[in-house]
Amino acid sequence: MTPGFRFYPTEEELITFYLKHKIQGTQSDILQLIARVIPQLHVYDFYPWDLPQYAGEVCRGDPEQWFFFIPIQEREARGGRPSRLTSSGYWKATGSSSVVYSSSNRAIGIKRSMVFYNGRAPSGRKTKWKMNEYKAFQQEDSSNPSSKPKLMQEVSVCRIYTKSNCLRALDRRPPADHQNLQNNVDHRATTSTDSSRQSITQMITSPVDHNGTSLEGIWEDQPFWEWEENYNWL
């Protein structure tokens, strides 16, 4: 990648563009471009400090964060809970899951934050490694805006990063007028196949200064990904 440029997505872009294209199996040329920045990997089979070497070729040298698609585990597909254990550590959820909103204030997915611990619960030792895992909502029924959204379970996307005192890429916020302009461009860029190709090329080479993050709504304290079966949406 050209010096001064990096992969710099917002949460909205991660969910509505990258994750949904991956799940829906869009055209192969777009999927190949996406794989350059977000490869598919069973991240829970690895220690987090080993994950940067498996990052996409475009962001392998990024010192801050690394992105991966996580396919659904077999036990999760059968209705069980996913396993987040390594041979000598585990990922532990922090707080409750939260809903991710688009720039137009539409619920587009759900996020879970986790921290990696060495050892075994409950006496594990907390490390600096963190993860945000995202799942997308299916397109809601426009004729029934109060209907409960359903999760697209096939694949999730995660952001791996280490704890530091500096702001992360997804945490930095540009001026509101710039973010509104960028959101309008991103929305138009996903309305057709040709525009999708152009959009992903721009996202792969987005300047460091151009970034924002969607608003988050705090969700009820429900078990990870099982909230939709228990929560009264109305």
Side-chain angles (χ1 to χ4, degrees), residues 186-227:
D186 293 339
H187 175 73
R188 290 195 300 270
T190 57
T191 57
S192 68
T193 300
D194 291 340
S195 296
S196 293
R197 294 192 186 95
Q198 180 181 3
S199 175
I200 190 171
T201 302
Q202 292 172 344
M203 290 177 188
I204 290 175
T205 59
S206 295
V208 173
D209 293 335
H210 292 180
N211 182 62
T213 182
S214 303
L215 296 175
E216 297 177 0
I218 303 303
W219 204 250
E220 294 288 328
D221 188 12
Q222 298 291 334
F224 189 31
W225 306 138
E226 285 86 18
W227 63 270

Side-chain angles (χ1 to χ4, degrees), residues 151-170:
L151 286 173
M152 303 175 76
Q153 298 278 10
E154 300 91 329
V155 180
S156 59
V157 63
C158 73
R159 174 175 72 117
I160 306 290
Y161 60 102
T162 56
K163 181 180 180 180
S164 71
N165 294 324
C166 66
L167 289 176
R168 295 287 155 196
L170 268 70

Side-chain angles (χ1 to χ4, degrees), residues 91-223:
W91 289 95
K92 180 181 178 181
T94 60
S96 58
S97 55
S98 61
V99 172
V100 179
Y101 292 93
S102 69
S103 56
S104 58
N105 204 32
R106 178 173 57 87
I108 57 176
I110 193 167
K111 177 176 77 172
R112 187 59 141 183
S113 297
M114 288 172 272
V115 177
F116 188 78
Y117 285 73
N118 275 320
R120 285 288 177 258
S123 57
R125 300 183 306 280
K126 187 177 182 179
T127 72
K128 65 180 181 179
W129 290 89
K130 296 178 177 291
M131 177 196 301
N132 292 335
E133 186 174 5
Y134 301 87
K135 284 182 181 281
F137 285 143
Q138 293 180 4
Q139 187 69 30
E140 71 275 12
D141 183 1
S142 59
S143 64
N144 185 14
S146 63
S147 62
K148 180 173 66 176
K150 295 184 180 299
L151 286 173
M152 303 175 76
Q153 298 278 10
E154 300 91 329
V155 180
S156 59
V157 63
C158 73
R159 174 175 72 117
I160 306 290
Y161 60 102
T162 56
K163 181 180 180 180
S164 71
N165 294 324
C166 66
L167 289 176
R168 295 287 155 196
L170 268 70
D171 302 324
R172 300 175 188 137
R173 301 168 187 263
D177 55 346
H178 172 84
Q179 179 61 38
N180 292 334
L181 174 61
Q182 184 66 36
N183 286 330
N184 290 335
V185 171
D186 293 339
H187 175 73
R188 290 195 300 270
T190 57
T191 57
S192 68
T193 300
D194 291 340
S195 296
S196 293
R197 294 192 186 95
Q198 180 181 3
S199 175
I200 190 171
T201 302
Q202 292 172 344
M203 290 177 188
I204 290 175
T205 59
S206 295
V208 173
D209 293 335
H210 292 180
N211 182 62
T213 182
S214 303
L215 296 175
E216 297 177 0
I218 303 303
W219 204 250
E220 294 288 328
D221 188 12
Q222 298 291 334

Side-chain angles (χ1 to χ4, degrees), residues 42 44 70-78 81-84:
H42 293 274
Y44 300 118
I70 308 175
I72 189 172
Q73 297 179 10
E74 183 178 350
R75 61 187 295 178
E76 189 178 5
R78 296 197 304 264
R81 300 174 69 87
S83 173
R84 301 188 180 90

Side-chain angles (χ1 to χ4, degrees), residues 7 12-42 56 67-72 134-137 152-158 190 196 200 203:
F7 182 54
E12 182 175 2
E13 290 167 344
L14 278 177
I15 293 174
T16 61
F17 186 85
Y18 293 98
L19 182 54
K20 285 202 169 181
H21 271 302
K22 177 68 174 179
I23 294 175
Q24 294 169 352
T26 187
Q27 292 188 350
S28 60
D29 56 344
I30 296 179
L31 291 178
Q32 289 173 1
L33 286 171
I34 290 176
R36 293 183 59 204
V37 289
I38 310 181
Q40 180 169 300
L41 187 71
H42 293 274
F67 299 87
F68 300 94
F69 290 119
I70 308 175
I72 189 172
Y134 301 87
K135 284 182 181 281
F137 285 143
M152 303 175 76
Q153 298 278 10
E154 300 91 329
V155 180
S156 59
V157 63
C158 73
T190 57
S196 293
I200 190 171
M203 290 177 188

